């Protein structure tokens, strides 16, 4: 179960981050501005956020997880293959919107399967394994593989690369995952968009509220780097697109380490402590990009160290919410937490960052990311703890 759900999450992230990895190819082929490049990610993020909440709530209401997950994976594969038909910017926006509608429901359902079927003492470990594989595939292999595919066969082929994995995983989910009824009872009350904390204690509402705000800020930080770092390395530091992909692949290795270490350590030292460590590490990345003037290996080492911060993502998005709300509300709560992050950080963020880049230079988005993640660092101290 852990392996299959980890691979599902990994290829969802692989597909989601593809736009940033092949950004230089998209700009060259479609004559895009930085604002338009950010809008491609944002369009998909809108669909992810809306579909994530709607399908997550449907999953909680019906108790159906496996039976929703399989068709969503098949739909995601169809959307990936549909990229072959795209020849222009508007068509690309449309196909990424459709892709986001499929991918949006996959993450909350998959996370609810993992958290509901894991023993409490192993949730942090299992989430760590899931996050390790996610960053191994999506951020270590993803930028290297996708940049080389785009270089050899074009940017459409890079988007298509996730289609076969999605189809194989649909079969894997059907064969391996057990369908355990997670239906919300009448007294549970589904999480709603306006009142996420309905029926929860004041302490629980505070935890979920802080997770949502941190999600918005951290997603902005993550999306800025995922979308514009490759472009920055090519334009400002004169890397080749494949060379930039190799640098981003190194960050994927850091994501593997941080993705396993921070959730695992949170089982021992508490969710709050590791969340704060993660937000502190995150500030290193834009600081190094903006201020480092030494050798390239030094920049790469600083980026590796700072990128360990991505291990904080499952802590605020899954672990803390999963331990705060009843099991029958996990999918919807995770969907709201991730969804608000997608809207604020993944939809508005890239468009604003792209406008900053067009108006003030490609370094401007990273200054904004530094300011936002510093706020998240301060907010992490307000998280009630210990949460284990």
């Amino acid at each position: 179960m852990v392996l299959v759900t980890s691979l599902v999450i990994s290829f969802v992230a692989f597909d989601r981050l593809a736009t940033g990895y092949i950004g230089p190819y998209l700009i060259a082929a479609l004559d895009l501005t930085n604002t338009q490049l950010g809008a491609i990610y944002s369009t998909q993020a809108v669909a992810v956020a809306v579909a994530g909440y709607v399908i997550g709530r449907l999953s909680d209401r019906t108790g159906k997880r496996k039976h929703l997950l399989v068709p969503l994976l098949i739909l995601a594969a169809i959307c990936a293959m549909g990229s072959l038909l795209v020849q222009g910017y508007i068509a690309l926006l449309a196909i990424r919107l459709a892709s986001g509608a499929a991918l949006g429901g996959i993450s909350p359902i998959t996370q609810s399967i993992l958290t509901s079927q894991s023993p409490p003492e192993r949730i942090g470990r299992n989430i760590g394994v899931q996050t390790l594989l996610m960053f191994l595939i999506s951020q270590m292999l993803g930028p290297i593989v996708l940049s080389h595919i785009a270089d050899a066969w074009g940017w459409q082929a890079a988007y298509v690369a996730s289609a076969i994995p999605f189809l194989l995983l649909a079969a894997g989910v059907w064969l391996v995952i057990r369908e355990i009824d997670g239906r919300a009872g009448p007294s549970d009350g589904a999480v709603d968009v306006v009142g996420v904390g309905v029926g929860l204690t004041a302490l629980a509402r505070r935890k979920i509220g802080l997770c949502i705000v941190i999600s918005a800020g951290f997603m902005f930080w993550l999306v800025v780097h995922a979308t514009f770092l490759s472009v920055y390395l090519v334009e400002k530091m004169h890397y080749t697109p494949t060379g930039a992909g190799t640098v981003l692949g190194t960050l994927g290795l850091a994501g593997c380490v941080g993705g396993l270490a921070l959730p695992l350590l949170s089982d021992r030292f508490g969710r709050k402590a590791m969340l704060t460590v993660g937000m502190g590490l995150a500030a290193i990345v834009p600081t190094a990009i903006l201020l480092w003037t030494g050798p390239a290996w030094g920049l790469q080492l600083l980026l590796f160290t700072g990128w360990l911060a991505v291990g904080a993502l499952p802590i605020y998005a899954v672990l803390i919410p999963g331990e705060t709300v009843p099991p029958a509300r996990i999918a919807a709560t995770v969907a709201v937490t991730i969804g608000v992050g997608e809207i604020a950080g993944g939809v508005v963020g890239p468009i604003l960052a792209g406008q900053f880049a067009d108006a003030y230079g490609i370094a401007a988005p990273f200054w904004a990311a530094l300011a936002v993640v510093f706020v998240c660092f301060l907010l992490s101290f307000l998280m009630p703890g210990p949460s284990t």
Side-chain angles (χ1 to χ4, degrees):
M1 180 275 293
V2 174
L3 176 61
V4 171
T5 55
S6 297
L7 289 172
V8 169
I9 291 295
S10 297
F11 280 99
V12 168
F14 182 91
D15 186 279
R16 293 290 316 281
L17 297 175
T19 296
Y21 298 152
I22 61 173
Y25 297 96
L26 291 171
I27 288 175
L30 301 177
D31 194 26
L32 303 181
T33 65
N34 290 305
T35 302
Q36 289 174 318
L37 180 64
I40 296 171
Y41 186 97
S42 297
T43 298
Q44 189 181 40
V46 170
V48 166
V50 174
Y53 173 74
V54 172
I55 297 173
R57 183 168 180 173
L58 177 64
S59 171
D60 285 342
R61 286 291 192 184
T62 63
K64 302 296 182 183
R65 291 169 179 162
K66 172 179 173 177
H67 288 79
L68 287 171
L69 190 54
V70 170
L72 287 172
L73 286 166
I74 294 172
L75 181 58
I78 293 171
C79 291
M81 289 184 286
S83 299
L84 288 172
L85 304 176
V86 173
Q87 297 296 328
Y89 176 63
I90 299 302
L92 180 58
L93 290 178
I95 198 68
R96 298 306 280 174
L97 181 69
S99 172
L103 297 177
I106 292 175
S107 291
I109 293 176
T110 305
Q111 301 290 19
S112 66
I113 289 172
L114 185 73
T115 54
S116 64
Q117 297 187 24
S118 297
E121 68 276 9
R122 294 185 179 179
I123 291 178
R125 184 202 67 178
N126 291 348
I127 288 288
V129 170
Q130 184 185 82
T131 310
L132 184 152
L133 280 177
M134 178 180 73
F135 286 104
L136 172 65
I137 291 172
S138 69
Q139 288 203 329
M140 184 176 175
L141 298 179
I144 298 172
V145 171
L146 291 175
S147 62
H148 280 82
I149 290 175
D151 199 57
W153 296 295
W155 58 268
Q156 292 101 327
Y159 277 129
V160 173
S162 56
I164 292 177
F166 282 142
L167 291 174
L168 293 175
L169 286 168
V173 168
W174 185 258
L175 294 172
V176 173
I177 302 298
R178 293 177 296 162
E179 183 73 280
I180 297 176
D181 196 335
R183 196 173 313 175
S187 62
D188 291 321
V191 179
D192 64 61
V193 176
V194 178
V196 174
V198 172
L200 300 178
T201 66
L203 186 65
R205 288 197 298 271
R206 180 179 173 185
K207 286 184 180 181
I208 299 301
L210 283 169
C211 286
I212 289 172
V213 176
I214 290 172
S215 176
F218 195 75
M219 278 300 298
F220 179 85
W221 174 90
L222 182 63
V223 170
V224 162
H225 291 91
T227 305
F228 295 105
L229 182 53
S230 180
V231 176
Y232 181 89
L233 292 173
V234 171
E235 291 186 3
K236 296 289 287 186
M237 305 190 72
H238 309 296
Y239 281 71
T240 64
T242 53
T246 301
V247 173
L248 268 64
T250 303
L251 300 188
L253 177 60
C256 294
V257 177
L260 177 63
L262 293 189
L264 190 61
L265 290 172
S266 75
D267 281 344
R268 179 175 179 83
F269 298 106
R271 313 300 187 206
K272 175 180 178 178
M274 289 301 103
L275 181 62
T276 302
V277 168
M279 296 302 110
L281 288 170
I284 296 174
V285 179
T287 302
I289 292 169
L290 294 164
L291 302 180
W292 179 256
T293 57
W297 64 264
L299 174 63
Q300 202 155 344
L301 179 61
L302 288 169
L303 293 179
F304 181 93
T305 302
W307 208 255
L308 297 171
V310 295
L313 194 156
I315 295 176
Y316 71 71
V318 181
L319 288 174
I320 295 177
E323 295 168 344
T324 302
V325 303
R329 298 177 66 177
I330 292 174
T333 305
V334 169
V336 170
T337 305
I338 295 175
V340 172
E342 289 282 4
I343 294 295
V347 177
V348 178
I351 295 175
L352 288 178
Q355 290 176 340
F356 291 159
D358 288 334
Y360 306 110
I362 194 62
F366 302 103
W367 284 110
L370 177 60
V372 169
V373 83
F374 181 70
V375 173
C376 292
F377 174 73
L378 296 178
L379 290 175
S380 70
F381 288 96
L382 303 178
M383 183 70 67
S387 301
T388 54

